[in-house]
């Protein structure tokens, strides 16, 4: 465990300092590729004695650490010793320390009580990687980050699309400064620098590991693949959480117990419908939402099928094409692959207001609490919800709902023939 | 002007409470930035290069002095003592803290203001002519209908997650001062054969990467069916607008790719379904809203005159201001006054808290408590008695707001550029400042006459460079900043998109390049009465190109 006494006391509010300097001016001061100058200025001018670096000692950590060693070998370097690293990574920590002459490297360990409580078998990464990152990275790092006014990171613009606009100097929402000397470095720049300075390579790099984190959640990437594609492969996860923001906690540990996800009439209930499987026989399908294209391609067979069926409408499908057959379906699932895709709202209104469909209309996909009130107004009457905070909000009846509407929508909000701005309180 | 009733007040309060909860959830980490982004955007909150930016709606550009004072208070208390007026007739603050946002929104709500839908992929603030309700050339004051559109589009459940943002502009005058042909939908007041007033509907205009002039989709939609018609367009766009590429997601691309006739067919089919339904606007409702915009109680001052020629001899600065910054009012003895936010060497559109307060005082005292924001980033006192002009001018002089340069070469539109914006490739404010220094001499500006320069720091064109008579576009080339120059753009009813005429220039070469173009124009115009744009249209691109780059 890192000793907090090793770190200097927090300097006067970094934000004040930054205001005086003007972060905008800082970002214009340096050539995009002049990482060493950015680093030197940050360490010696912006926050002398009040900066540190967290390094993963991963595939491309050597470059930034080499720069650190040139500018100030005694800069505190923290390493998240999650307990899940490849042995090669731990060797690599020692190699770099020695070869670069880093004087102030500290390992940060997870809280043993948290590990015992949330990950007694050491397999949390498998069921809930967000929580695993949380107890092994985010939580242990927090007391350390609080001690510094600023941090050096090795993040680069090319790494993930979320990082596309990364500048050299950033202000976090809790008034700390993040310095990203390598913001403009490409993969090729990193390799070139490493070769130019004969820096040791991570032992796994040659085996195809281009971005290296904990062993269970890292896999090799193919040639031409995004270097970070090997992190949390197969999961919709790109960051461990420590880079979102210092106060941006990620999901807390929770049980993975099976649960009902269909919300209808004020409760989560058992869902009679199952996932539709590609290639299923149209005449044998039952209790599945048949995708629109599949239904249209095998319309006769589905109409002859005696079992309860649903229809799945995806963005881009024109619901009018099934207008004559809607009565056939007990449920229509309108999918939201991303909550930002608003086509489903139009589909729902057309179903209710124009096509007179009176059955279940459920929203599936990226269904979040902030959109649900819109969904109710557009005619949805059921939701499939997996997002935990949204589930909680539904159960506790605290959706961010507006009680007042300006515009009439649906069949009931304003009776036909009355004035459009007859305002209704829900 | 429009006043909130209990419903409006409760609506905004409800929305503020809702967003305060969302901010709390973001601060606690329950909401990720990805989930928070569309929510904050729909409440006008951007994350810029290094801080949040709050954009506050000024519906159709109209403010009371009380509202204006509140903006000054916010600038002073929660920001760094200034605000920036935008080309969407809004105001934005560049340095608020996330934790202060709910308080700021509460403050705004107390003066009937909000930041709802000033960003995000929804229907944005409706903009209009800054001289609405005052201009002598107006068919009808567009603001009552703009207010009705504001209400209809506020938190519309079907149209809150459109493929891309959606902007509506309208004008009640045949002289388009609201650039309606460069909006997703532009509405132009029209009179039909029966003498009824309705709207021409233009669709698919826009600037950005792919500038397009809007196309006329319907030459007359009466007031009663306007909302149904707009909803029909919105539904076609929501369902069929492209979502695979954010740069091709605006309705202009849909109209361009599918063709006006196809889109018109779809819109008309949709309109046939919804026409006459719940969105039909009864005359009583229109009358009720229109009553809020009743003209103020103008006195009979038709005998009052100002002798500009005489004043120019006594006090040239005052004379210039009278010459350039007044717009004819429909009531004799009154004028609309443009307050320039383009001082030489300043950042176009910026005003300090003190200046904002001063303008509020002037509006209260001399303009029936009303003021306007223009899409060209200036302020307007719409109803000033001619007899009060000198008093107004003196106050403006004392507060650095008396630049008499409206519509002249230094009255530039300019985006925030690389100094503030996360999207920018190049600085734009310093370019505007250099140009204004170059042409600072009033005699020189007068000699040049009407000339609109518009500057954008990137291809997204927030500085409207495509419609500048001279447009300047900052691009990134080999790690440096380079500026392309376009000629012949026009944001008015003569709508045209400027053309790039040759290779770009380094920042320090830009003012010199502009000067070459200006000198060529002056040497070749038929008379001082032929403005730059007319001369360009008459002479064509070639001689200007030669003037700028030399002979091949």
């Amino acid at each position: 465990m890192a000793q907090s006494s090793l770190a200097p006391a927090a300097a006067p509010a970094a934000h004040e300092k930054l205001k005086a300097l003007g972060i905008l001016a800082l970002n214009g001061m340096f050539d995009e590729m002049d990482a060493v100058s950015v680093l030197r200025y940050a360490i010696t001018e912006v926050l002398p004695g009040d900066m540190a670096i967290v390094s993963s000692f991963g595939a491309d950590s050597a470059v930034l650490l080499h720069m650190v060693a040139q500018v100030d070998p005694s800069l505190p370097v923290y390493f998240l010793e999650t307990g899940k690293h490849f042995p090669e990574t731990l060797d690599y920590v020692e190699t770099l320390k020695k070869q670069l002459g880093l004087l102030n490297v500290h390992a940060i360990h997870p809280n043993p009580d948290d590990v015992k409580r949330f990950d007694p078998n050491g397999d949390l990464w498998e069921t809930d990687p967000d929580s695993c990152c949380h107890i092994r990275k985010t939580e242990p790092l927090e007391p350390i980050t609080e001690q510094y006014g600023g941090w050096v990171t090795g993040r680069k613009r090319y790494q993930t699309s979320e990082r596309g606009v990364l500048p050299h100097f950033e202000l976090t929402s809790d008034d700390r400064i993040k310095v990203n000397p390598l913001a403009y470095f490409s993969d090729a720049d990193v390799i070139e620098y490493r070769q130019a300075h004969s820096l040791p390579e991570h032992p796994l790099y040659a085996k195809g590991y281009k971005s290296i984190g904990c062993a269970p959640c890292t896999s090799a990437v193919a040639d031409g693949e995004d270097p970070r594609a090997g992190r949390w492969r197969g999961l919709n996860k790109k960051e461990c959480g420590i880079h979102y923001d210092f106060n941006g906690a990620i999901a807390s540990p929770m049980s993975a117990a099976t649960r009902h996800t269909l919300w209808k009439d004020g409760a989560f209930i058992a869902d009679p419908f199952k996932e539709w499987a590609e290639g299923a026989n149209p005449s044998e399908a039952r209790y599945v939402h048949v995708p629109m294209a599949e239904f249209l391609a095998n319309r006769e067979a589905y109409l002859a099928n005696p079992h309860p069926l649903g229809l799945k409408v995806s963005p881009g499908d024109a619901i009018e094409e099934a207008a004559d057959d809607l009565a056939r379906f007990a449920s229509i699932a309108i999918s939201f692959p991303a909550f930002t895709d608003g086509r489903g709202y139009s589909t729902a209104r057309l179903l209710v207001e124009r096509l007179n469909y009176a059955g279940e209309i459920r929203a599936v996909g990226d269904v979040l609490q902030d959109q649900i009130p819109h969904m109710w107004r557009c005619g949805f009457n059921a939701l499939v919800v997996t997002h935990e905070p949204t589930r909680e909000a539904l159960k506790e009846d605290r959706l961010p709902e507006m009680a007042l509407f300006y515009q009439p929508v649906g069949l009931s909000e304003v009776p036909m023939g009355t004035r459009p701005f007859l305002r209704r309180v829900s | 002007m429009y006043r909130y009733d209990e419903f409006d007040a409760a609506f905004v309060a409800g929305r503020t409470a809702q967003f305060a909860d969302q901010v709390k959830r973001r601060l606690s980490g329950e909401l990720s930035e990805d989930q928070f982004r569309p929510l904050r955007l729909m409440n006008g909150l951007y994350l810029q290069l290094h801080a949040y930016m709050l954009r506050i709606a000024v519906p159709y550009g109209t403010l009371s002095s009380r509202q204006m004072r509140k903006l000054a208070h916010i600038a002073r208390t929660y920001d760094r003592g200034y605000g920036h007026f935008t080309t969407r007739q809004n105001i934005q603050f560049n340095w608020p803290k996330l934790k202060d946002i709910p308080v700021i929104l509460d403050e705004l709500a107390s003066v009937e203001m909000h930041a709802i839908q000033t960003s995000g992929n929804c229907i944005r603030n409706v903009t209009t002519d800054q001289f609405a309700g005052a201009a002598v050339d107006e068919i009808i004051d567009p603001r009552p209908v703009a207010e009705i559109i504001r209400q209809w589009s506020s938190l519309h459940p079907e149209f809150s997650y459109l493929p891309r943002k959606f902007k509506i502009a309208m004008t009640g005058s045949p002289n388009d001062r609201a650039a309606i042909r460069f909006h997703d939908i532009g509405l132009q007041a029209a009179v039909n054969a029966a003498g009824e007033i309705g709207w021409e509907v233009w669709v698919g205009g826009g600037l950005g990467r792919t500038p397009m002039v809007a196309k006329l989709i319907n030459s007359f939609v009466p007031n009663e069916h306007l909302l149904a018609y707009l909803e029909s367009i919105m539904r076609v766009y929501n369902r069929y607008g492209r979502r695979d590429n954010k740069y091709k997601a605006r309705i202009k691309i849909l109209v361009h790719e599918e063709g006006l006739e196809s889109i018109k067919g779809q819109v008309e089919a949709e309109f046939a379904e919804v026409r006459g339904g719940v969105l039909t606007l009864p005359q009583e409702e229109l009358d009720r809203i229109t009553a809020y915009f009743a003209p103020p109680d103008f006195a009979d001052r038709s005998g009052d005159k100002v002798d500009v020629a005489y004043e120019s001899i006594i006090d040239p600065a005052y004379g210039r201001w009278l010459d350039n910054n007044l717009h004819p009012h429909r009531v004799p003895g009154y004028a609309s006054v443009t307050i320039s936010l383009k001082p030489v060497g300043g950042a176009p559109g910026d005003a300090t808290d003190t200046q904002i307060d001063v303008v509020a005082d002037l509006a209260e005292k001399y303009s029936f408590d009303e003021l306007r924001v223009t899409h060209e980033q200036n302020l307007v006192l719409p109803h000033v008695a001619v007899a009060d002009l000198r008093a107004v001018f003196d106050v403006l002089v004392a507060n650095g707001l008396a630049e008499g340069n409206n519509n002249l070469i230094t009255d530039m539109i300019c985006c925030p550029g690389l100094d503030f914006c996360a999207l920018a490739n190049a600085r734009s404010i310093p370019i505007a400042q250099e140009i204004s220094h170059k042409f600072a001499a009033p005699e020189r500006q007068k000699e040049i006459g009407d000339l609109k320069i518009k500057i954008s720091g990137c291809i997204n064109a927030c500085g409207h460079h495509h419609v500048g008579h001279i447009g300047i576009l900052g691009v990134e080339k080999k790690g440096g900043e380079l500026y392309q120059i376009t000629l012949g753009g026009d944001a008015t009813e003569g709508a045209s998109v400027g053309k790039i005429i040759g290779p770009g220039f380094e920042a320090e070469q830009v003012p010199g390049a502009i000067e070459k173009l200006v000198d060529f124009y002056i040497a070749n115009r038929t008379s001082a009465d032929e403005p730059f744009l007319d001369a360009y249209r008459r002479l064509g691109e070639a001689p200007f190109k030669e003037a700028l780059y030399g002979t091949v």
Side-chain angles (χ1 to χ4, degrees):
Chain A
M1 196 80 187
Q3 302 299 305
S4 54
S5 59
L6 288 176
H15 186 57
E16 291 308 311
K17 186 132 192 175
L18 196 72
K19 262 188 188 164
L21 285 163
I23 199 156
L24 300 177
L26 287 186
N27 278 312
M29 273 174 67
F30 300 96
D31 186 85
E32 289 185 355
M33 301 306 293
D34 192 4
V36 173
S37 295
V38 170
L39 188 64
R40 177 173 296 117
Y41 191 79
I43 295 176
T44 60
E45 299 291 330
V46 180
L47 288 172
D50 192 21
M51 290 213 110
I53 176 171
V54 181
S55 177
S56 65
F57 287 85
D60 53 16
S61 297
V63 170
L64 186 59
L65 291 172
H66 178 257
M67 293 175 179
V68 166
Q70 288 177 68
V71 174
D72 179 6
S74 62
L75 186 82
V77 178
Y78 292 95
F79 168 61
L80 285 160
E81 180 21 330
T82 60
K84 293 282 175 190
H85 281 295
F86 293 103
E88 287 89 339
T89 300
L90 301 179
D91 291 345
Y92 192 52
V93 173
E94 294 309 315
T95 310
L96 284 183
K97 240 161 84 175
K98 214 160 97 193
Q99 192 158 332
L100 301 178
L102 295 167
L103 302 172
N104 211 353
V105 178
H106 309 281
I108 308 175
H109 300 270
N111 180 334
D113 291 342
D114 276 352
V115 174
K116 214 182 290 169
R117 182 162 157 224
F118 296 115
D119 192 10
N121 304 321
D123 58 3
L124 185 62
W125 59 270
E126 205 167 11
T127 54
D128 187 357
D130 277 345
S131 298
C132 188
C133 284
H134 189 80
I135 62 169
R136 293 177 191 279
K137 291 181 171 181
T138 314
E139 287 278 349
L141 192 56
E142 212 166 77
I144 310 292
T145 57
E146 280 167 6
Q147 297 164 18
Y148 293 93
W151 289 85
V152 181
T153 89
R155 291 179 299 160
K156 300 162 200 74
R157 288 184 165 212
Y158 79 88
Q159 283 170 329
T160 64
S161 53
E162 287 78 4
R163 294 177 174 183
V165 295
L166 194 68
H168 279 145
F169 294 88
E170 293 175 282
L171 188 61
T172 69
S173 64
D174 65 344
D175 285 352
R176 288 189 162 75
I177 297 171
K178 272 193 180 182
V179 183
N180 312 303
L182 304 182
Y184 297 87
F185 272 52
S186 66
D187 199 18
D189 294 326
V190 171
I191 293 168
E192 194 187 311
Y193 187 99
R194 203 163 60 208
Q195 286 166 351
H197 296 86
S198 313
L199 300 178
E201 199 174 71
H202 192 292
L204 293 175
Y205 186 80
K207 297 179 183 167
Y209 292 82
K210 297 289 155 67
S211 174
I212 302 171
C214 296
C217 293
T218 303
S219 56
V221 295
D223 273 352
E225 207 178 4
D226 184 323
R228 279 178 76 86
R231 304 290 293 276
W232 302 285
R233 191 184 283 280
L235 298 171
N236 183 22
K237 180 169 162 72
K238 289 177 187 153
E239 297 273 7
C240 63
I242 63 171
H243 280 314
Y244 275 135
D245 221 334
F246 286 114
N247 58 6
I250 56 169
S252 317
M254 62 171 186
S255 85
T258 50
R259 53 193 182 165
H260 295 315
T261 56
L262 177 65
W263 175 266
K264 205 174 173 183
D265 300 327
F268 280 106
I269 57 171
D271 185 356
F273 281 83
K274 297 179 298 292
E275 197 71 24
W276 181 79
E278 190 82 42
N281 185 340
S283 48
E284 288 169 10
R286 52 187 299 172
Y287 286 112
V288 289
H289 289 94
V290 182
M292 187 87 173
E294 162 71 14
F295 168 71
L296 294 173
N298 300 289
R299 182 168 173 272
E300 296 307 322
Y302 282 107
L303 291 181
N305 172 327
H307 306 298
L309 280 180
L311 181 67
K312 181 164 182 182
V313 188
S314 298
D317 290 341
I319 186 65
E320 293 91 335
E321 291 178 22
D324 295 337
D325 306 318
L326 295 175
R328 166 71 191 80
F329 299 104
S331 167
I332 294 181
I334 298 177
S335 76
F336 290 83
F339 69 87
T340 48
D341 189 330
R343 284 177 279 190
Y345 298 102
S346 288
T347 302
R349 284 193 69 187
L350 289 173
L351 272 173
V352 174
E353 295 171 42
R354 191 163 305 162
L355 304 173
N356 306 314
Y357 177 76
E360 177 186 282
I361 303 179
R362 57 165 73 179
V364 302
D366 202 8
V367 178
L368 302 173
Q369 57 181 314
D370 298 288
Q371 286 78 45
I372 291 172
H374 285 344
M375 291 173 175
W376 295 145
R377 288 189 66 198
C378 286
F380 288 90
N381 50 29
L383 312 164
V384 174
V385 187
T386 52
H387 179 249
E388 198 53 38
T390 300
R391 294 172 58 85
E392 292 304 313
L394 278 166
K395 283 188 261 188
E396 293 165 21
D397 192 19
R398 48 170 183 80
L399 288 179
E401 201 150 12
M402 292 287 293
L404 305 169
F405 317 134
Y406 271 113
Q407 61 292 99
V409 162
L411 297 177
S412 58
E413 288 185 0
V414 176
M416 294 291 279
T418 59
R419 69 190 177 100
F421 296 97
L422 178 70
R423 291 143 166 183
R424 177 175 165 276
V425 178
S426 69
Chain B
M1 55 186 281
Y2 188 69
R3 290 304 312 266
Y4 281 9
D5 60 18
E6 281 178 13
F7 180 94
D8 299 299
F11 179 87
V12 170
R15 179 60 164 187
T16 303
Q18 180 187 38
F19 189 54
D21 172 64
Q22 288 160 347
V23 169
K24 202 172 84 192
R25 285 190 278 139
R26 172 65 190 122
L27 288 171
S28 77
E30 181 189 320
L31 284 177
S32 72
E33 178 54 28
D34 273 355
Q35 289 157 352
F36 185 57
R37 186 185 304 118
L39 305 175
R40 67 170 163 75
L41 287 180
M42 253 177 282
N43 288 284
L45 189 61
Y46 279 78
L47 191 53
Q48 289 209 315
L49 265 185
H50 309 294
Y52 283 102
M53 178 272 275
L54 181 66
R55 183 182 293 153
I56 294 161
V58 180
Y60 31 90
T62 300
L63 286 166
S64 69
S65 54
R66 179 164 161 259
Q67 292 173 323
M68 191 72 163
R69 283 197 191 96
K70 182 61 82 177
L71 297 177
H73 168 74
I74 290 169
R76 202 158 37 235
T77 314
Y78 304 102
D79 205 280
R80 300 185 175 177
Y82 69 96
H84 177 77
F85 290 95
T86 77
T87 58
R88 293 282 304 152
Q89 297 182 307
N90 294 322
I91 182 169
Q92 54 197 46
F93 291 108
N94 283 309
W95 303 98
K97 289 188 168 178
L98 183 55
K99 68 173 177 53
D100 289 337
I101 299 297
V103 192
I104 298 175
L105 293 179
D106 270 339
E107 296 248 22
L108 287 170
S110 74
V111 295
E112 306 179 5
M113 293 185 78
H114 59 73
I116 298 169
Q117 291 179 202
T118 54
S119 56
N121 292 338
C122 50
I123 301 172
R124 305 288 189 86
N125 183 30
V126 179
T127 53
T128 185
D129 182 0
Q130 67 269 26
F131 302 126
V136 72
D137 57 7
E138 189 169 81
I139 297 169
I140 191 174
D141 183 349
R143 292 174 302 159
V145 173
E147 169 61 23
I148 287 168
I149 294 174
R150 180 190 78 81
Q151 296 189 9
W152 159 76
S153 63
S154 288
L155 307 192
H156 197 298
E158 184 179 351
F159 306 130
S160 288
Y161 297 92
L162 297 167
R164 200 76 178 82
K165 59 189 170 184
F166 202 93
K167 300 174 179 178
I168 301 176
M170 51 199 307
T171 174
S173 160
N175 299 307
D176 178 7
R177 290 176 286 263
I180 68 148
R181 285 165 189 77
F182 293 96
H183 283 73
D184 296 289
I185 289 179
L187 299 174
Q188 165 110 43
V191 182
N192 70 4
E196 294 157 343
I197 294 175
W199 302 94
E200 272 179 11
V201 182
W202 295 72
V203 69
L207 299 172
R209 290 166 191 253
T210 321
M212 294 206 184
V213 178
K215 294 155 185 85
L216 184 66
I217 189 168
N218 195 314
S219 57
F220 190 84
V221 178
N223 280 319
E224 64 171 334
H225 297 311
L226 183 61
L227 292 179
Y229 198 82
L230 293 180
E231 187 146 304
S232 302
I233 296 177
M234 296 313 302
R235 181 166 293 148
V236 169
Y237 172 56
N238 188 41
R239 297 185 74 194
Y240 301 110
R242 288 182 60 174
R243 291 176 187 262
D244 58 326
N245 179 342
K246 73 182 265 199
Y247 302 119
K248 295 184 188 288
R250 296 288 288 271
I251 196 172
K252 64 188 174 189
I253 303 294
L254 181 68
V255 173
H256 178 72
E257 289 183 348
E258 294 212 11
L260 177 66
E261 287 314 309
S262 162
I263 294 301
K264 186 173 175 164
Q266 295 175 48
V267 169
E268 292 294 335
E270 187 62 40
F271 184 49
E273 296 275 355
V274 299
R275 184 193 163 105
V278 291
L279 286 175
T280 307
L281 180 66
Q283 189 60 40
E284 309 86 75
E285 177 66 3
L286 183 58
D287 291 345
R288 187 178 75 82
I289 301 286
T290 303
Y292 286 109
F293 297 92
D297 209 359
F298 293 113
D300 178 7
R301 313 189 72 154
S302 50
D304 295 356
K305 295 271 185 305
V306 59
D307 184 342
V308 178
Y310 172 77
E311 298 292 349
S312 301
I313 295 166
I314 306 294
D315 179 350
Y318 181 48
R320 274 195 302 278
W321 183 79
L322 291 173
D323 218 12
N324 296 313
N325 291 28
L326 300 190
H327 193 268
H329 200 282
R330 57 192 183 81
V331 178
Y334 287 87
S336 298
V337 168
T338 298
I339 299 173
S340 172
L341 297 181
K342 319 287 176 64
V344 168
D350 277 6
T352 66
D353 56 333
T354 314
Q355 289 175 327
I356 296 172
D357 268 337
V358 163
V359 174
D361 291 346
L362 287 174
E364 184 173 27
K365 200 163 169 194
Y366 298 110
S367 184
F368 297 92
D369 207 31
E370 209 181 305
L371 56 97
R372 309 285 173 78
V373 182
T374 84
H375 91 272
E376 297 185 311
Q377 302 179 286
N378 292 314
L379 299 172
V380 165
L381 300 172
H383 315 296
V384 179
V386 166
D388 293 331
L389 287 172
R390 180 75 216 193
V392 169
F393 179 73
D394 289 342
V395 174
L396 293 176
V397 169
N399 290 281
L401 290 166
E403 200 72 42
N405 64 349
N406 191 212
N407 294 326
L408 299 183
I409 188 167
T410 58
D411 185 8
M412 288 169 271
I413 291 186
C414 178
C415 74
L418 195 56
D419 296 307
F420 292 93
C421 177
L423 304 173
N425 301 117
R427 294 163 299 152
S428 47
I429 292 172
I431 300 294
Q433 289 168 331
E434 285 309 312
I435 293 172
S436 74
H437 282 302
K438 181 113 199 159
F439 294 96
E443 306 72 33
R444 177 78 163 138
Q445 295 193 46
K446 185 181 166 86
E447 181 195 19
I448 298 165
D450 278 12
L451 174 52
K452 291 183 188 294
I453 294 184
K454 308 192 186 208
I455 308 172
S456 305
C458 80
I459 197 167
N460 293 305
C462 297
H464 295 191
H465 67 275
H466 296 300
V467 291
H469 301 161
I470 297 177
I472 299 173
L473 165 65
V475 294
E476 189 180 341
K477 274 261 167 73
K478 298 185 190 104
E481 295 164 352
L482 207 61
Y483 295 85
Q484 290 178 341
I485 292 182
T486 60
L487 291 180
D490 180 3
T492 71
E493 63 280 2
S496 59
V497 173
K499 279 184 67 178
I500 296 175
I501 58 161
F505 294 89
E506 308 278 338
E508 52 282 4
Q509 299 172 321
V510 173
I514 303 298
E515 184 154 57
K516 278 186 193 166
L517 291 167
V518 165
D519 288 344
F520 174 80
Y521 150 68
I522 290 174
N524 290 279
R525 62 190 177 188
T526 52
S527 76
D529 292 334
E530 185 184 45
F532 181 91
L533 184 62
D534 291 5
Y536 174 79
R537 285 176 172 166
R538 176 174 58 81
L539 293 165
E541 170 193 336
F544 281 90
K545 187 169 179 175
E546 197 176 309
L548 189 53
Y549 297 100
T551 326
V552 190

